[in-house]
Amino acid sequence: MTAKLYTTITAITITALSLLLLLIAAPHALLAQSDAVAESPDSATTAVAQVPDLGPILITVEDFPSDAGEALIIGWEDPGYVSLPDFIEYRVTRYTDDSDNGMVIGTSVLNPEVIDGEASHSIAHSYTVAAVFPDHEVISARSEPAMAEIQWVAADKYAVIIIGIFVCAAVIFFIETAKRGKTLFLRRIAGLEAIDEAVGRATEMGRPILFVAGIQDMDDVQTLAGLTILGRVARTVAQYDSKINMPCRASLVMTAGREVIKEAYNVAGRPDAYSDDMVHYVTDEQFGFVAATNGIMVREKPATCFYLGAFFAESLILAETGNSIEAIQIAGTAMPAQLPFFVAACDYTLIGEELFAASAYLSEEPRQLGSLKGQDVGKALAMIAIVVGGISVTLAQAWDIGLFQVIESALRTAFNIQLPVR
Amino acid sequence: MTFQQYIPIIVVGIGLIWIFIRSWRGQDVDRRIVFSFIGLTVALALIFQVMFGERATAIVRAAYDKIENLPEGSRILLSYDFDPAMAPEVHPMANSFIRHAMAKNHKLYLYSLWATGQTLLQESLTEVLEPEFPEKEYGKDWVVMGYKAGNEGVLNVIVTDIRKMYPTDVHNTSLDSLPIYDGVKSLKDFDLLISVGGGKPGVKEWVLFAGDRANVPVAGGSAAVSAPLLYPYYPRQLIGLLGGTKGAAEYESELIREYPRFADIDTPALRMMGPQTMAHVVIIAFILIGNVAYFRGKRKRRSEV
Amino acid sequence: MKRQIPLIIIMTVGWVLMVSVFVPPFESWGEEASLFFDIIAVFAFFLGGGNLIRVHFTKINRKSEGWGFSVVTVAGFAVMLILGLFKIGGSISAPVDTAGTPFELMFRYVMSPLQATMYSLLAFYVASASYRAFRARNIEATILLIAAFVILLGRTPFGFYLTAWIPESFSILEIPNMAVWIMNSPNLAGQRAIMIGIALGVISMSLRLLLGIERSYLGGD
């Protein structure tokens, strides 16, 4: 199966599955919630004469939203027992059958709600709520049996799903557009244009190139972005017959880095020039890694330094040391707090999304370029939401204009849904 | 300030003038000179204990005024949400809040959402509360609840029912036998919630999960690096915020100014502000010198052309 | 095959993680997948440690330039490994960082001060970076320079005293208040804009990874 066909089939399958999930699961989730609501009938109470009869304790049992059918919410109306002087607590008991063998699953004083986190979607449970006093209890009647329901789509994430599908669809659309031969405009990214020049400079000076792919492990997407650029840098290094040194903070990054550089040397036709010692592990300790890398920089004096990946406080230490040895420095990170340090101290900085765009930019492959265009559609959506949201909230709150209050409410609901905590 | 405290300022001032003259003459400033200057400045400021007076900014003053204006006997919750790494910055804030609350005869409830917070809380008791306020009674004027795991989950519970999460205090005494907990069932019964820390859970979690839901004012003390992220909550959701060492120093200076009994207390934040202030001034001076050198060089090149 | 198996693993695990976020019954799948990564990462420690020893022993054997540093590295590695692995000075059943043990003392009196020393280098580097970077080359650089001055002064008592004379109605012009406004408004707006761009970049990159379009991190195109 060719990669092209595989990609297309996968993309269509994903989109179809997502839509199918939404169509099936959403009504099911809503139905499950309403089905699971069970109320207790007017309850007789079991009480001793000292406690005044303030009326029945009415229980409601609802399914816990957006879960795998493992929880129920037991709520009740307090007829006034809380304000009695010797009231201790409300106690909720769960029953799995008609016998009187129940298990206390929770207590509450003021909050008229307890979550049963051990309910089941295959066994029906009923509940009683008892107002507890020092010498006696007032127990409600048992609720109707209720089962937890499985929700197949997380209700609090509908907005994320919809936006995610929209952005993914845009990316796939532009990938297909680019594959059909349409030229897509990309603005120039100075840091990426300078890679060849930077490697050439190192070759002329006879000094090595230092490459640091961030200090995070392979589970960070910034590290992967750094490694994609490493491939391109390593190929240029191999072609120019220069030297590259890549200290790593994580062993898996070391392994991946070796594969990337080895393959780059193979592609450049210089497999003999590759050595495993080009990529080496230093330490997992953050400042230990920085100290070692600084030592390498001060002793070996690389002519070019690349810092491409996730960095934290050590960003300025690396950049300033590179500055002191008069190296060309090209940095890129998606950590907003570290960007100012790189911008101040490095010659070129890839800011945030430019780091992720690098592989597409350097390869100039239509499929990858198309994904950048699709990303821009997402940005346009964000800009529209910010403008519309800002105007709506301002007009709604300043002048109480009804339409904008509705828009504001819809936006708040879509982006800020909160669930009860289990 | 004493004459001794002026020595670092004089020495650094002379040095900066020397560097300015060098730059004016077109000589570049080596980075080693910059490093030496910073090292010298901070070292001299620490050795000669340079301290500058501070005035509270509005955001710090708001927190101060809240405690100051609460009626005597108000219930204040103070949460220690930091670890030893952050302690130099935020521990002085916590100590200041304790002093202020005790001086105003408020009731203090000491909590912690960080495991390391409990040890640091104990340090405050040993160094501040017990020696400076021996007349205050445990269980009546102040109480230690200690650390509970669960981050914002703890807040979700105690916002409606404290005893569900904390049936006893840190000494295993039932809350019902502590006079300080008479009439206190949940966070809604407090008059002020204060969180001191710089990570998660911290001030933001207290604002979102406690203050907003219980409708109780929240004040905070935060490490300098986290403070900018909390500014959006001020002043509606966060009534006041102490940001970093500067915030702690401002609060300490207000306490010393308005409470004569605190005139001789140890003020670590004010002490740290001396070197920090001098280092900032040196950096500003170097920036100015750098720009002078840049424009002089530019003019020289233009005149040569 | 060498590239297709990793691709299949990446795509499978990637989709499992996506599904685990949005489909509650499969939430635990995401946690299991993360555990797989943790297990692999732990095995990779041996890889990294072995590489470290090999590289430095080679340097020592050949007496290459800077081989003395390699002796220190290997010695430190060996000492901490032995002290921790055999829990020397403490009970074998107690935690490795029990107070008073040589391991804990080495951490507290060697490791922590070294960490603090490296971290404190930032103070010096901030000064040298500021000296070099804040030049009024153009309008944007001048605005940046002015903002830097305001922030730096705002964090000192001088900032307060310089503008204490400003009347209450214009208090926003006081340097400390201006510093707070700069951090709270333009700075935060810029940060949030960058974060939105980053989030979209991550979506795009992740989609390329999941669809197998992006493969250079495996070696080759």
Side-chain angles (χ1 to χ4, degrees), chain A residues 6 14 68 150-151 154 161 251 255 258 260 263 277 281-282 285 287 317 320 323 334 356 359 368 371 375, chain C residues 2 11 15 22-25 44 47-48 51-52 54 111 115 118-119 128 132 198 200 204 208 214 217 219-220:
Chain A
Y6 177 82
I14 295 153
I150 299 174
Q151 278 81 50
I161 294 171
S251 316
T255 317
R258 280 183 177 167
V260 170
E263 187 57 31
D277 289 343
Y281 169 79
V282 179
E285 214 295 300
F287 286 110
I317 300 176
E320 277 296 299
N323 216 287
F356 301 116
S359 65
Q368 300 210 32
S371 72
Q375 184 179 320
Chain C
K2 190 181 161 191
M11 287 179 204
W15 288 115
F22 295 110
V23 182
L47 213 67
N51 173 253
L52 183 81
R54 190 183 67 75
M111 186 68 179
Q115 281 175 329
M118 287 303 297
Y119 195 57
S128 67
R132 206 184 51 254
I198 288 169
L200 289 163
S204 172
R208 293 202 302 269
E214 182 69 70
Y217 61 95

Side-chain angles (χ1 to χ4, degrees), chain A residues 38 124-126 143-147:
Chain A
H125 302 300
S126 54
S143 69
E144 293 294 325
M147 271 199 289

Side-chain angles (χ1 to χ4, degrees), chain A residues 283 285-292 313-314 317, chain C residues 114-115 118-119 122:
Chain A
T283 174
E285 214 295 300
Q286 179 188 13
F287 286 110
F289 173 75
V290 170
E314 69 286 342
I317 300 176
Chain C
L114 285 171
Q115 281 175 329
M118 287 303 297
Y119 195 57
L122 281 171

Side-chain angles (χ1 to χ4, degrees), chain A residues 10-303:
Chain A
T10 312
I12 294 169
T13 313
I14 295 153
T15 313
L17 269 174
S18 311
L19 287 168
L20 201 61
L21 263 174
L22 267 175
L23 284 168
I24 294 171
H28 184 73
L30 292 167
L31 200 63
Q33 204 157 16
S34 58
D35 276 351
V37 173
E39 291 200 0
S40 65
D42 276 355
S43 51
T45 57
T46 312
V48 177
Q50 294 100 303
V51 177
D53 183 6
L54 299 177
I57 303 171
L58 296 173
I59 311 176
T60 56
V61 180
E62 290 176 4
D63 180 45
F64 191 93
S66 298
D67 74 334
E70 297 156 343
L72 290 167
I73 304 173
I74 299 91
W76 61 89
E77 277 179 39
D78 169 44
Y81 291 115
V82 167
S83 44
L84 292 180
D86 49 353
F87 170 77
I88 297 173
E89 64 186 9
Y90 273 110
R91 190 175 57 221
V92 179
T93 308
R94 177 179 66 214
Y95 301 89
T96 318
D97 49 36
D98 289 333
S99 72
D100 287 335
N101 296 329
M103 191 167 92
V104 175
I105 54 114
T107 60
S108 179
V109 175
L110 296 173
N111 187 19
E113 191 179 273
V114 157
I115 295 169
D116 180 4
E118 290 171 9
S120 167
H121 57 86
S122 54
I123 303 170
H125 302 300
S126 54
Y127 297 87
T128 59
V129 175
V132 179
F133 294 87
D135 300 321
H136 44 264
E137 295 175 357
V138 177
I139 306 174
S140 72
R142 225 183 263 200
S143 69
E144 293 294 325
M147 271 199 289
E149 295 279 347
I150 299 174
Q151 278 81 50
W152 291 98
V153 180
D156 58 330
K157 296 187 175 115
Y158 275 122
V160 176
I161 294 171
I162 290 166
I163 292 167
I165 289 174
F166 180 79
V167 174
C168 291
V171 168
I172 292 167
F173 172 78
F174 280 104
I175 289 175
E176 294 302 317
T177 306
K179 280 192 317 196
R180 281 197 288 275
K182 187 161 187 242
T183 316
L184 299 170
F185 170 73
L186 270 191
R187 66 170 171 84
R188 209 176 139 267
I189 299 178
L192 298 173
E193 298 281 334
I195 288 178
D196 286 346
E197 176 208 330
V199 174
R201 179 178 184 261
T203 312
E204 279 168 20
M205 296 172 77
R207 281 153 58 174
I209 289 137
L210 181 81
F211 193 101
V212 183
I215 63 161
Q216 292 290 77
D217 212 328
M218 287 294 285
D219 58 341
D220 193 309
V221 71
Q222 294 179 69
T223 308
L224 293 172
L227 289 173
T228 58
I229 304 171
L230 171 66
R232 172 57 192 265
V233 169
R235 201 177 323 154
T236 312
V237 167
Q239 283 166 355
Y240 289 9
D241 197 20
S242 192
K243 288 191 289 278
I244 186 167
N245 188 344
M246 182 179 168
C248 299
R249 191 198 172 201
S251 316
L252 287 176
V253 175
M254 176 190 77
T255 317
R258 280 183 177 167
E259 285 302 313
V260 170
I261 294 179
K262 191 193 289 187
E263 187 57 31
Y265 271 73
N266 283 342
V267 165
R270 301 290 319 277
D272 52 303
Y274 169 76
S275 161
D276 271 351
D277 289 343
M278 289 175 177
V279 188
H280 54 101
Y281 169 79
V282 179
T283 174
D284 270 66
E285 214 295 300
Q286 179 188 13
F287 286 110
F289 173 75
V290 170
T293 308
N294 276 4
I296 290 169
M297 288 160 80
V298 166
R299 286 190 300 273
E300 294 184 16
K301 293 198 180 4

